[in-house]
Amino acid sequence: MSDRLTQLQICLDQLVEQFCATLNYVDKNHDFIPTEGEERLVDPQATIAEPKEFQSTMNELSTDLILKTRQILTLITSLPGAGVSPKDQISKINELQNELNKVEQEKIEKIRQKDELLEWCNGLITGFSKDLIDSRRN
Amino acid sequence: MAEESLISSLYPPPPAYYKFFTNENLEQFKEIKNNHKVEDDELHIPEDKKELEFLIPPRPPSGDTYRSFGNLWNVKEMGIPQLYQESNIPNDEEDSKIKIEELKRLLKSLLLNFLEIVGVMSVAPDQFATKIEHIRTILINIHHILNEYRPHQSRESLIFLLEKQVETKKDEIKEIERVCKEVETKIKGLIELYVDNQEKTSEQIKQESESFDDKKQVENNENAVKEES
């Protein structure tokens, strides 16, 4: 998953594409309504949608726009680090860096202890098997 | 043609001279720089070290335009009005909050402007241009805020990553401790079991015939138990 800002930029692009698509649909499929005393215009290139269908598609497109806007709003609200100053961020980073070093040292020490235990186990096993062989021999 | 598609691809390959930025070359360049103490572009690079010339940083663009990622950019503002407020003190804790609020406001303006363009198109389709221009300005402003927010987000991501690393390392330590403890208890149990058995068998053996080695073995194990505790 990409970061919040990239997601926002992608969503904005999608929103603008939806703007375009919506306008395009209205442009291509709208009916002609004559003003008073005029004849109804006919455009052979337009595919006029049924009023019911036109209305439902319009509803669908507007709902999509609202949903996309809500999505963008949610993303904006969840932008990381709101109300934190860069100074605080930097000191936090330094702090974490020190902690990381400390934990790393601790880990190295633990691994050393583990190796010691391993060595001890090895000695134990070798001693044990030697004793076993010795006792069998007798 | 091939050249052109190379330039217009999203991320062009790095310029060929990046290969000259070796540690060795950087050292040499530093040396030359320290020896001469002049402005970078007046540095005298020896004939046999021509590739070091690439290490001299270029001058900032002097004209109105510059190239970046194969596109021509204007140095000056492109006449886009700024539609949002900024924090008076740059980089304080209010800065990010203000940006978030401004983004929300701009988004709502964007939606309203779309509504307006639909309205304009239905009444006077020939007057769409101003509204398009408004939408464009709003979008550029939004993208500008988003890009300004990037460093803030990057620092925040770094904090997150560091926290995660510390967490992982702590988990690893816990896991090592757990396994060590387990091994120790198991061996302790085994040794106790073994010593018990050994005492019994050695008693049996004692009954049959005295065995020096077995005794030693028991001692050994006892020592091991002591050592451990």
Side-chain angles (χ1 to χ4, degrees), chain A residues 3 81 89 104 107 110 138, chain B residues 152-153 155-156 169 213:
Chain A
D3 61 284
Q89 285 180 319
E104 176 64 26
K107 192 181 142 190
K110 283 285 167 217
N138 288 321
Chain B
H152 197 72
Q153 177 178 269
R155 284 189 292 268
E156 209 58 33
K169 281 208 197 297
D213 282 338

Side-chain angles (χ1 to χ4, degrees), chain A residues 88-100:
Chain A
D88 289 348
Q89 285 180 319
I90 299 282
S91 66
K92 177 111 199 195
I93 288 169
N94 286 331
E95 203 179 287
L96 279 167
Q97 178 129 33
N98 288 335
E99 194 184 347
L100 192 66

Side-chain angles (χ1 to χ4, degrees), chain A residues 2 5-6 13 15 18 44 50 56 68 72 79 108 111 138:
Chain A
S2 51
L5 285 175
T6 312
D13 285 353
L15 183 68
Q18 278 175 250
E50 289 292 311
S56 78
K68 189 46 83 182
I72 293 174
L79 275 176
I108 289 170
I111 289 175
N138 288 321

Side-chain angles (χ1 to χ4, degrees), chain B residues 121-136:
Chain B
M121 296 283 266
S122 66
V123 180
D126 53 330
Q127 284 170 29
F128 70 95
T130 23
K131 269 294 136 200
I132 294 276
E133 196 50 44
H134 288 169
I135 289 177
R136 192 176 102 93

Side-chain angles (χ1 to χ4, degrees), chain A residues 64-81:
Chain A
D64 285 352
L65 282 177
I66 290 163
L67 284 179
K68 189 46 83 182
T69 313
R70 276 207 195 127
Q71 194 186 353
I72 293 174
L73 272 175
T74 315
L75 279 172
I76 292 174
T77 317
S78 66
L79 275 176

Side-chain angles (χ1 to χ4, degrees), chain B residues 54-100:
Chain B
F54 286 105
L55 271 66
I56 302 171
R59 291 189 152 198
S62 52
D64 283 346
T65 55
Y66 66 97
R67 265 183 177 282
S68 172
F69 288 103
N71 281 332
L72 216 57
W73 299 90
N74 213 313
V75 188
K76 288 191 188 116
E77 284 291 314
M78 283 172 277
I80 305 291
Q82 181 177 329
L83 299 177
Y84 54 90
Q85 284 183 346
E86 272 175 313
S87 164
N88 298 328
I89 321 144
N91 292 339
D92 73 339
E93 56 261 22
E94 290 303 311
D95 199 41
S96 47
K97 272 189 193 166
I98 290 173
K99 282 201 171 81
I100 287 177

Side-chain angles (χ1 to χ4, degrees), chain A residues 99-107, chain B residues 166 169-170 173:
Chain A
E99 194 184 347
L100 192 66
N101 285 336
K102 222 179 74 199
V103 175
E104 176 64 26
Q105 284 307 315
E106 205 180 313
K107 192 181 142 190
Chain B
V166 169
K169 281 208 197 297
K170 278 186 176 164
I173 289 174

